């Protein structure tokens, strides 16, 4: 009986830690999207000053649009995975109920 209680307690801890790692990985991925978006934005802002290229305005606009698209995709990805993580958190509830009933 004691071994079963210990197993259930370990299972709950592992599940909670796995969810925390998943949340942190999701946040890290969002920050990577944000960082990449900012790189494109900075490239667009500094292009005219660094290079004397014809049609640099078109390249700047393309970099701004790319930056915006990356930011939007990163934000959508973050919230999609956040919702998925919160839905999967309900599965731990089964283990918690089993643990508290013992």
């Amino acid at each position: 009986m004691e071994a079963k209680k210990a197993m259930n307690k370990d299972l709950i801890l592992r599940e909670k830690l796995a969810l925390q790692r998943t949340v942190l990985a999701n946040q890290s991925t969002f920050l990577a999207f944000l960082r990449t978006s900012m790189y494109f934005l900075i490239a667009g802002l500094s292009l005219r000053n660094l290079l004397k290229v014809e049609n640099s305005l078109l390249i700047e606009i393309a970099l701004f649009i790319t930056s915006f698209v990356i930011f939007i995709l990163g934000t959508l990805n973050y919230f999609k995975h956040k919702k998925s993580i919160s839905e999967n958190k309900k599965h731990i509830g089964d283990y918690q109920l089993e643990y508290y009933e013992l």
Side-chain angles (χ1 to χ4, degrees):
M1 188 67 136
E2 290 296 322
K4 189 173 182 179
K5 283 185 181 180
M7 182 183 71
N8 288 339
K9 190 174 181 180
D10 290 342
L11 185 61
I12 291 170
L13 180 62
R14 267 189 254 138
E15 290 288 326
K16 283 183 91 169
L17 292 175
L19 275 173
Q20 288 175 352
R21 282 190 303 269
T22 306
V23 168
L24 291 173
N26 190 31
Q27 292 172 351
S28 175
T29 304
F30 174 69
L31 291 174
F33 271 101
L34 183 63
R35 181 180 60 233
T36 305
S37 173
M38 288 174 49
Y39 287 154
F40 277 95
L41 183 67
I42 290 169
L45 290 172
S46 61
L47 183 68
R48 189 175 293 176
N49 294 331
L50 293 177
L51 303 173
K52 303 297 181 200
V53 179
E54 282 187 37
N55 299 329
S56 65
L57 182 63
L58 295 176
I59 298 171
E60 286 179 23
I61 291 172
L63 288 170
F64 291 149
I65 290 171
T66 304
S67 172
F68 182 71
V69 167
I70 290 173
F71 178 74
I72 294 300
L73 288 176
T75 304
L76 292 175
N77 181 50
Y78 172 75
F79 284 111
K80 180 181 90 170
H81 285 96
K82 184 177 179 180
K83 181 181 176 189
S84 175
I85 291 167
S86 67
E87 287 173 357
N88 286 331
K89 201 178 265 191
K90 295 175 188 172
H91 295 295
I92 291 182
D94 297 339
Y95 298 124
Q96 285 177 344
L97 288 176
E98 184 180 314
Y99 173 72
Y100 288 124
E101 286 175 0
L102 293 176

